Amino acid sequence: MENQISNINLRKDLNGLRFISVIAVILFHSKISLFNSGYIGVDIFFVLSGFFITQILINEKIKYGNINIVNFLNKRFRRIFPALIITILISSFVIYFFLYSIEYADVVKKSIISSATYLSNFYYYQYFGNYFVQSSDYLMLFHTWSLSIEIQFYIFFAFFYFIIFKINFFYRYLKQIIILLLLFSFFCTQMGANLKTEFPFIENTSNFYFFNQPWWASFYFPLSRLWEFLFGSLAAVYLANNKINSNNIISLFGIISIIISFIIFNDSILHPSIFTLLPVFGTYLLIIYNNDQKSFLNKIIGSKIFNWGGLVSYSAYLVHYPIFVFFRITLPNNFENILILLIILIFIMSHYSWRVIENPFRNINKISNK
């Protein structure tokens, strides 16, 4: 099983899928009408994160018998925090000297603090409520809501798997536990508001609404995203315990599901909801069945350019929104005309952010914890 996990670590196709996801998100935030479904790129990221994180934790279990929570979280923070804090500092500088408005000073201040402390998803829920409000187009750190959820799940998964690995009974039924949590999270996201804590325990006994999302499992909240992470986690556990042969037809079905999602989704579709199963399950199928390095699909999304795009995808996600906000405010009439140049700028900056910030900070031998 250890060799199998080591091979999974080299999956360039999943790195390529990261690139596709970040491109989708960037085009969505560009506000071009043809790409108004790109926000589902974040959902794909969540599935991939669940897979990679669980894979790392299982690998530690195999090598050391259990996981070192402090060491695990240290590595995750080294991956996320340095590039994020640089983005926050530069964005703060730009806001103060070029975009300062006393009217929004308090909002900006709270946005910066919540982003740096990985609580921005809660703050933006409190401030905006609806993710698709237009006013968020002018807040430089608005996109950090998803990074906050990522970190919250890193912490949750660390303690969750630490307990699972400690108790043999739980470890034996790990897949079943993941499936139960996945179904619970999905139910709460889809129709959790139908339930109440008092008899008869159903909000409206005459109607059980097919989509009735509670505020505590809505767009910005971890519970509504838990099932997406758990799909990735389930894939990692499944591959760690089973030798799966590549299946080009199922892999193709997975990528087609994702492509269809990009075509049919828009901001009027309830999200996250049962509809989100389409890109999430498509990603799950790709993880499980697209493991043939010589397949046609792998040659595309596992190619050098896609792999490079996957490597810089985190930095690209970080820098694209502040750049878009700055030029949307300063050059409102020419924003679409310079969009291609801005995207090129984003990936140039991302490349150097990856080389100068991300990679060095991940190496504890180069940069100590101090």
Side-chain angles (χ1 to χ4, degrees):
M1 187 163 66
E2 188 172 347
N3 290 336
Q4 198 170 341
I5 291 176
S6 297
N7 289 334
I8 294 170
N9 282 326
L10 302 175
R11 291 274 299 267
K12 293 181 179 180
D13 60 317
L14 300 186
N15 230 14
L17 191 55
R18 279 175 165 169
F19 183 44
I20 293 171
S21 301
V22 80
I23 287 287
V25 172
I26 289 171
L27 292 175
F28 170 68
H29 287 149
S30 73
K31 299 298 176 180
I32 296 177
S33 58
L34 290 174
F35 300 102
N36 57 6
S37 60
Y39 59 87
I40 63 173
V42 171
D43 302 278
I44 296 170
F45 267 120
F46 286 159
V47 180
L48 292 174
S49 289
F51 172 70
F52 288 122
I53 290 305
T54 304
Q55 178 191 86
I56 290 168
L57 292 168
I58 292 175
N59 215 2
E60 283 206 12
K61 161 68 175 174
I62 292 168
K63 287 183 178 179
Y64 308 113
N66 207 324
I67 60 172
N68 184 322
I69 292 178
V70 174
N71 185 53
F72 169 77
L73 291 178
N74 180 36
K75 289 179 179 178
R76 303 286 71 74
F77 277 97
R78 282 174 167 273
R79 171 78 173 87
I80 297 292
F81 190 71
L84 173 62
I85 204 66
I86 293 296
T87 302
I88 290 174
L89 289 172
I90 294 174
S91 297
S92 302
F93 177 87
V94 171
I95 291 167
Y96 185 79
F97 287 100
F98 299 99
L99 306 177
Y100 182 78
S101 169
I102 194 168
E103 182 182 359
Y104 298 107
D106 187 58
V107 175
V108 171
K109 180 182 71 174
K110 290 178 179 177
S111 171
I112 291 169
I113 294 171
S114 63
S115 297
T117 54
Y118 306 112
L119 296 170
S120 59
N121 55 321
F122 297 115
Y123 174 67
Y124 292 131
Y125 169 79
Q126 180 185 25
Y127 186 75
F128 291 114
N130 181 11
Y131 171 74
F132 298 100
V133 292
Q134 190 173 359
S135 55
S136 65
D137 297 345
Y138 302 96
L139 198 56
M140 274 195 170
L141 299 172
F142 177 68
H143 63 318
T144 62
W145 70 269
S146 63
L147 298 180
S148 295
I149 289 181
E150 284 266 355
I151 289 294
Q152 289 157 23
F153 275 118
Y154 289 167
I155 296 169
F156 168 77
F157 270 47
F159 285 95
F160 172 75
Y161 277 100
F162 179 81
I163 294 169
I164 291 288
F165 295 155
K166 276 284 188 183
I167 303 172
N168 288 333
F169 176 81
F170 289 161
Y171 189 44
R172 195 180 310 127
Y173 293 100
L174 177 55
K175 277 191 285 190
Q176 291 85 343
I177 292 170
I178 291 174
I179 291 170
L180 284 174
L181 280 174
L182 188 155
L183 292 174
F184 171 74
S185 168
F186 181 74
F187 171 80
C188 290
T189 305
Q190 180 68 22
M191 53 183 72
N194 283 305
L195 305 181
K196 63 177 185 177
T197 56
E198 298 174 356
F199 184 82
F201 307 114
I202 297 175
E203 190 65 35
N204 188 334
T205 54
S206 60
N207 288 300
F208 197 79
Y209 297 107
F210 179 67
F211 183 80
N212 196 7
Q213 194 180 59
W215 66 267
W216 39 268
S218 57
F219 189 97
Y220 291 105
F221 284 79
L223 187 57
S224 69
R225 306 293 178 164
L226 177 60
W227 64 276
E228 299 176 2
F229 276 84
L230 287 175
F231 257 110
S233 191
L234 184 63
V237 172
Y238 190 70
L239 286 175
N241 291 283
N242 300 275
K243 184 173 177 58
I244 306 298
N245 294 323
S246 179
N247 190 309
N248 292 333
I249 295 175
I250 297 178
S251 299
L252 187 62
F253 180 78
I255 198 71
I256 288 173
S257 298
I258 293 171
I259 292 169
I260 290 173
S261 304
F262 285 133
I263 295 171
I264 67 173
F265 273 58
N266 55 55
D267 56 11
S268 65
I269 287 183
L270 302 169
H271 187 80
S273 70
I274 194 170
F275 300 110
T276 319
L277 269 173
L278 190 60
V280 167
F281 192 64
T283 305
Y284 174 83
L285 292 179
L286 275 176
I287 293 171
I288 296 288
Y289 293 103
N290 191 47
N291 50 31
D292 182 2
Q293 299 296 323
K294 297 179 181 179
S295 70
F296 175 74
L297 183 59
N298 237 315
K299 287 179 180 178
I300 298 174
I301 64 174
S303 62
K304 286 185 178 180
I305 184 68
F306 277 75
N307 188 52
W308 168 82
L311 291 174
V312 304
S313 61
Y314 172 57
S315 285
Y317 184 81
L318 276 179
V319 304
H320 85 279
Y321 207 80
I323 289 174
F324 279 0
V325 169
F326 177 77
F327 284 99
R328 189 175 280 124
I329 293 173
T330 56
L331 299 172
N333 298 323
N334 294 306
F335 180 78
E336 290 190 6
N337 298 330
I338 62 170
L339 182 59
I340 293 176
L341 292 176
L342 292 182
I343 292 175
I344 293 171
L345 174 64
I346 286 165
F347 279 99
I348 291 173
M349 292 180 66
S350 302
H351 177 76
Y352 285 101
S353 172
W354 171 67
R355 286 188 61 183
V356 177
I357 301 171
E358 282 191 60
N359 269 351
F361 272 92
R362 293 175 73 175
N363 189 338
I364 197 168
N365 293 321
K366 287 185 177 180
I367 300 176
S368 70
N369 285 329
K370 290 181 182 180

